Amino acid sequence: GQQLNQSPQSMFIQEGEDVSMNCTSSSIFNTWLWYKQEPGEGPVLLIALYKAGELTSNGRLTAQFGITRKDSFLNISASIPSDVGIYFCAGPDDMRFGAGTRLTVKP
Amino acid sequence: EADIYQTPRYLVIGTGKKITLECSQTMGHDKMYWYQQDPGMELHLIHYSYGVNSTEKGDLSSESTVSRIRTEHFPLTLESARPSHTSQYLCASSGLQGAWGTEAFFGQGTRLTVV
């Protein structure tokens, strides 16, 4: 299957800081999805990207679909404690997820 | 809110027992998936289905089996549970548009412990 590389694996940040994480794929994607998973719950979709170069925002979240169609970025601005969780990228073409970025926000 | 339900939420069972994890969705989605996830770790696709009577194995080798007799129901069965099966099992579904539709909806998961 397609290889999805997500980085960083973990982030420990102070409340108020901005966060950036990314995913790269070994092949071209037509769609990128970003999910957040909180402890004890299933992942919930944050942002979906459908077009190369697309930049989409959802509140403090901004995600971009890379021009090469092999990468995507998720940024969180002005982090707050409830941003804690695991963030996954996903390429719907083969229903696989990246390894996740584990975010810890210190108040 | 996603209309996909998993039962039970938590299950502790003895080695050698047969168990079935239930997953139902009321969204009429054709595609359904099972993932296995250890706490804080990656999601591993173990089974998926494109519709009734369709089942495929995912990346992670799993001793579990699945069935898809009805669109809304995608149960996962372990014939003989072992401690190595201890994990969280997540079910998801999506519509037909593209490979996943506009998004995949997840259930809350079943946390299985085999003692």
Side-chain angles (χ1 to χ4, degrees), chain B residues 38-99:
Chain B
D38 291 330
M41 302 301 285
E42 300 177 49
L43 290 153
H44 294 287
L45 181 68
I46 52 175
H47 297 284
Y48 59 98
S49 167
Y50 286 137
V52 170
N53 295 325
S54 151
T55 60
E56 301 286 345
K57 288 190 180 294
D59 286 334
L60 186 66
S61 174
S62 174
E63 292 161 349
S64 58
T65 58
V66 292
S67 63
R68 190 87 184 277
I69 298 170
R70 302 195 320 261
T71 298
E72 62 271 20
H73 195 213
F74 192 39
L76 181 144
T77 298
L78 274 168
E79 290 293 333
S80 179
R82 294 208 302 267
S84 60
H85 296 139
T86 295
S87 190
Q88 173 161 259
Y89 293 83
L90 286 157
C91 180
S93 74
S94 68
L96 260 182
Q97 187 179 345

Side-chain angles (χ1 to χ4, degrees), chain B residues 4-29:
Chain B
I4 179 165
Y5 307 100
Q6 290 185 243
T7 56
R9 283 289 313 266
Y10 303 93
L11 180 62
V12 180
I13 199 160
T15 297
K17 299 290 185 185
K18 176 180 178 178
I19 57 169
T20 296
L21 308 184
E22 300 288 348
C23 177
S24 294
Q25 50 96 4
T26 58
M27 296 172 282
H29 285 166

Side-chain angles (χ1 to χ4, degrees), chain A residues 45-57:
Chain A
L45 184 73
L46 297 174
I47 288 182
L49 301 159
Y50 299 105
K51 194 174 165 183
E54 179 182 356
L55 185 72
T56 297
S57 293

Side-chain angles (χ1 to χ4, degrees), chain A residues 35 37 40 92 95-96 102, chain B residues 9 33 35 37 40 59 100 104:
Chain A
Y35 285 79
Q37 184 180 28
M95 302 159 287
R96 270 83 172 166
R102 288 134 195 87
Chain B
R9 283 289 313 266
Y33 320 88
Y35 293 85
Q37 183 188 34
D59 286 334
W100 256 3

